[in-house]
Amino acid sequence: MPHLVLIGLAAILLWALVSHRFERWGVAGPAGLLLFGAATVIWNVDAFGDALDSSVSEKVVEIILAILLFVDATEVKGGIFGREGKIIARLVLIALPLSIVLTVVSGVLLVPHAGLLVMIVIACVILPTDFAPAAHLLRSRYVPARVRQIVNVESGYNDGVISPLFGMSLALAVVWSTIANKSESEISEADVEKPVLEFLGSFFNAVPATLIAIVIGIVLGAGIGYLVRVARARELASAVGVRYVMVLLPLIAYGVASIPILNANGFVAAFVAGIGYRLTRVRGNESDGIDHSELLLVDEVGVLASHFVWFVLGGAAVLVITSGPDWQILVLALLALTLLRVVPVYLALMRSTVSRGDRLLVGVLGPRGTASIVFGLLAYNALPEDEGVIVLTVMVATVVGSILLHGAAAPLLLRRRKPIEA
């Protein structure tokens, strides 16, 4: 077992022993694991960097993301889009692409040496929202129930939507960076041929790979969901058995999509499997969501997986600090957490049924967390060293900034609003 994984598991074990007391003091799991990770790797930062930049670490974070995408999809209540189809469509199909464009333009102006293609990768890394570092925001009595539902559903869908774009843009960035980092005399035919073929494969397979992943997700998710519903109705399976099914399903969906002959997008397959499973599992039930007794295990596995990701972020933060980040990168992270999300969201929701104040609130409530960390680690692993460090630095600055902004500042600002009566 790689040292990084072993140390991470040990750190999570220690955190589990003391987390209750720290959480009573106001230190949430993400912040606590981040500090654990930083304290663990500070003694040998170079060794951590080598462990992070390995194929084993890449595969671990890929599997973690597949599980988290599945969990996001299964937790939505009320149809495919949680009874907010038009609003979610505006956020995912208008606000998110606009945020990507604005982020790329801002990044090229602030960090021109990174290049356009790397900036597209960075936009895909730092824009997905995740309420893990600021879960208390969704429980705040100052947040209207509708806003809570909208941002919760949006956070589940934008990860699944952005993952195919991330995969293709990363492949293109790797090709260009491999060529650009060598002088003309150093470039051989083999240097160009391999990355170009890899990109062409990714580019021309992007749509088929996504479609195949959707089919895999629908077949597995809807099929297993139907079997679970029948088995529960006839008392063939218990809630405990269904919990195991829900943990194994995203792994199977990701694994099937990753079979070489299919070469599909495992992230999309896992996410769609979650949607298909939820829709067929709850069909005919009085409740519009999966019962908590069945969600319990996959939720806990998702939390455990995200704990490992937050531990790795702590080490990555030390790695970034020791490399000396540029102020331009910090400005880009701040913009990503504020204007580059708030403005597109506000514009996308104009002339909708969402009030002006709630539009602004939806834009402000956009914490960054696990998905950004995983995408950032995958990019760091795939790109050449210089570009990889830039992506890692922007990711760390954005997520740590989100902990400060959404974990500390946002609750103070929300208290200025009138409390929502129960």
Side-chain angles (χ1 to χ4, degrees), residues 29-95:
L33 267 299
L34 189 151
L35 294 175
F36 262 59
T40 301
V41 307
I42 197 169
W43 307 108
N44 196 341
V45 179
D46 292 338
F48 172 80
D50 293 338
L52 196 61
D53 192 14
S54 68
S55 58
V56 174
S57 298
E58 179 181 3
K59 189 57 63 178
V60 169
V61 295
E62 284 182 354
I63 293 173
I64 288 174
L65 182 58
I67 294 173
L68 296 177
L69 288 172
F70 178 84
V71 172
D72 286 343
T74 56
E75 289 184 339
V76 176
K77 294 183 179 181
I80 297 180
F81 298 109
R83 296 184 294 271
E84 294 287 355
K86 293 181 180 179
I87 301 302
I88 300 303
R90 284 170 175 251
L91 290 173
V92 173
L93 301 180
I94 299 176

Side-chain angles (χ1 to χ4, degrees), residues 58-307:
E58 179 181 3
K59 189 57 63 178
V60 169
V61 295
E62 284 182 354
I63 293 173
I64 288 174
L65 182 58
I67 294 173
L68 296 177
L69 288 172
F70 178 84
V71 172
D72 286 343
T74 56
E75 289 184 339
V76 176
K77 294 183 179 181
I80 297 180
F81 298 109
R83 296 184 294 271
E84 294 287 355
K86 293 181 180 179
I87 301 302
I88 300 303
R90 284 170 175 251
L91 290 173
V92 173
L93 301 180
I94 299 176
L96 183 58
L98 183 56
S99 289
I100 291 174
V101 172
L102 292 178
T103 301
V104 171
V105 172
S106 301
V108 170
L109 293 175
L110 286 168
V111 195
H113 59 278
L116 175 64
L117 297 176
V118 173
M119 274 304 152
I120 297 175
V121 173
I122 288 175
C124 294
V125 168
I126 63 178
L127 290 179
T129 57
D130 173 26
F131 279 84
H136 57 282
L137 289 178
L138 292 180
R139 301 189 295 268
S140 174
R141 63 194 180 103
Y142 299 95
V143 177
R146 189 186 184 196
V147 171
R148 186 182 301 116
Q149 173 74 350
I150 289 172
V151 295
N152 196 28
V153 175
E154 180 209 3
S155 69
Y157 275 90
N158 57 17
D159 298 354
V161 169
I162 213 166
S163 61
L165 175 61
F166 170 77
M168 190 171 67
S169 61
L170 179 60
L172 181 55
V174 169
V175 172
W176 179 252
S177 298
T178 301
I179 297 173
N181 285 337
K182 293 186 177 183
S183 63
E184 186 175 348
S185 60
E186 293 177 325
I187 298 177
S188 65
E189 185 176 344
D191 291 330
V192 177
E193 183 178 6
K194 182 179 178 181
V196 167
L197 289 177
E198 288 179 353
F199 166 70
L200 291 176
S202 299
F203 181 80
F204 289 110
N205 289 330
V207 174
T210 302
L211 294 177
I212 294 172
I214 291 174
V215 172
I216 292 171
I218 292 174
V219 171
L220 287 176
I224 299 299
Y226 173 78
L227 292 177
V228 167
R229 191 175 82 232
V230 172
R232 287 288 279 161
R234 298 181 180 180
E235 298 185 350
L236 296 174
S238 65
V240 175
V242 176
R243 291 175 202 163
Y244 297 148
V245 170
M246 292 192 68
V247 171
L248 295 173
L249 180 53
L251 300 178
I252 293 173
Y254 174 83
V256 171
S258 301
I259 294 175
I261 194 173
L262 297 176
N263 195 28
N265 189 310
F267 301 142
V268 173
F271 180 72
V272 174
I275 297 175
Y277 178 88
R278 173 172 53 83
L279 293 178
T280 55
R281 174 65 190 94
V282 303
R283 187 178 180 183
N285 293 357
E286 295 182 2
S287 172
D288 56 2
I290 301 173
D291 189 84
H292 179 68
S293 64
E294 297 180 3
L295 284 170
L296 184 61
L297 182 58
V298 73
D299 278 346
E300 291 182 342
V301 170
V303 171
L304 183 63
S306 64
H307 278 177

